[in-house]
Amino acid sequence: MSTKTKEKALRIWRIVKRTLLFLFLFQLFYILLLKWVDPPFTLTQLGSLFTGYGLKRDYVDMKDVSSYARLSFIAAEDQLFPDHNGFDWKSINKAMEYNKKKPNRVKGASTISQQVAKNVFLWQGRSWLRKGLEVYFTFMIELLWDKNRIMEMYLNVSEMGPGIFGIEAAAQNYFKKPAKKLNRQEAAMIAACMPNPKKFTVKPLSRHVASRYPWVMKQMAFLQNDPDIQRILQ
């Protein structure tokens, strides 16, 4: 290899290193910033806007969200949320075994933390690249945020209907009231639309939501006195 070729290769390598360092520092700064500041937008929200579903959202503080709403999503989506470090390994193993047996019917096992990592920092999809990045961002938010901030972010950025993002927008659209005033049944109905709120609609009430929300309410009653969950509900 000639001297000029070596020098060119070194210059390219320096540029690559600087670019990677910049990207790492930028994403670290952004994760830390979002510990206190709500994201201006997410890729999923932009996708909803540009594909014709629209974008309805209204970020609110945790104190402005009914405790029933918080409890309903823990009951429906991630009952071990207060206890795990971002990953429910038992459920992940079960999902992997299920997907091996039935490859045409993919079953997920994402925790609330993983869903926040995906919804805030990444895009929708099932590629290995996205899943790998999801693991990284889940680890980082569990390290740098607390559980209350993760739950607050989840309730603000998750899609809860076609073009409807966050519990406040869902409460206003479905029940004409703020999220702070949602009752147990209303909160359970919204949580029951996950993980496919475009298909499993709250209004009009889909068959899936109608059959699932009573189960969510039973799980809420079972979980509500758990001390670890109570810390998130207060």
Side-chain angles (χ1 to χ4, degrees):
M1 184 182 294
S2 68
T3 302
K4 286 186 177 181
T5 303
K6 288 181 180 179
E7 289 177 351
K8 185 177 181 180
L10 284 172
R11 284 197 300 271
I12 293 173
W13 175 237
R14 290 192 194 102
I15 293 171
V16 170
K17 285 198 299 184
R18 288 170 184 169
T19 301
L20 292 174
L21 179 61
F22 170 79
L23 291 174
F24 174 77
L25 293 175
F26 177 79
Q27 61 81 30
L28 182 59
F29 168 78
Y30 190 55
I31 294 171
L32 286 169
L33 180 66
L34 294 190
K35 185 175 182 178
W36 301 281
V37 178
D38 294 321
F41 61 84
T42 69
L43 292 176
T44 303
Q45 290 172 356
L46 289 178
S48 176
L49 183 64
F50 293 134
T51 54
Y53 286 104
L55 175 56
K56 298 175 183 177
R57 69 173 194 185
D58 189 4
Y59 294 149
V60 291
D61 295 332
M62 188 75 101
K63 62 181 176 59
D64 294 319
V65 176
S66 162
S67 62
Y68 293 132
R70 289 172 256 168
L71 180 59
S72 68
F73 280 93
I74 292 174
E77 290 290 285
D78 186 2
Q79 296 188 7
L80 297 178
F81 174 67
D83 305 312
H84 62 60
N85 63 352
F87 305 95
D88 181 354
W89 297 110
K90 187 175 181 179
S91 294
I92 290 172
N93 288 332
K94 284 184 178 179
M96 289 175 68
E97 290 299 319
Y98 178 90
N99 295 337
K100 285 180 181 177
K101 294 176 182 178
K102 298 183 179 182
N104 294 324
R105 296 176 61 185
V106 178
K107 181 178 181 181
S110 293
T111 63
I112 284 175
S113 302
Q114 287 176 272
Q115 291 180 56
V116 169
K118 175 185 68 176
N119 291 332
V120 174
F121 301 102
L122 303 170
W123 61 94
Q124 304 299 313
R126 294 185 177 278
S127 70
W128 286 108
L129 172 62
R130 204 227 57 168
K131 292 299 291 184
L133 291 171
E134 180 185 300
V135 170
Y136 170 77
F137 281 109
T138 300
F139 172 80
M140 292 300 288
I141 63 175
E142 283 279 345
L143 179 68
L144 299 174
W145 302 356
D146 59 27
K147 289 289 187 177
N148 281 287
R149 180 54 176 163
I150 294 172
M151 174 57 71
E152 183 178 59
M153 189 70 79
Y154 176 82
L155 290 171
N156 274 315
V157 303
S158 297
E159 189 170 18
M160 300 181 184
I164 299 171
F165 290 85
I167 192 65
E168 180 68 16
Q172 294 287 356
N173 274 269
Y174 299 138
F175 304 110
K176 309 303 179 186
K177 61 171 65 175
K180 193 172 186 177
K181 294 186 177 181
L182 286 171
N183 62 35
R184 181 183 291 268
Q185 179 176 328
E186 292 163 345
M189 290 174 72
I190 296 174
C193 77
M194 309 300 274
N196 193 341
K198 285 190 175 76
K199 180 179 179 181
F200 306 139
T201 56
V202 177
K203 287 199 175 176
L205 187 64
S206 67
R207 184 179 300 178
H208 174 87
V209 172
S211 63
R212 190 170 187 241
Y213 86 79
W215 175 86
V216 175
M217 292 181 69
K218 289 180 182 178
Q219 297 303 305
M220 291 167 69
F222 176 74
L223 295 168
Q224 64 185 5
N225 293 321
D226 183 284
D228 294 328
I229 290 178
Q230 276 296 319
R231 282 195 286 272
I232 295 174
L233 303 184
Q234 294 172 354

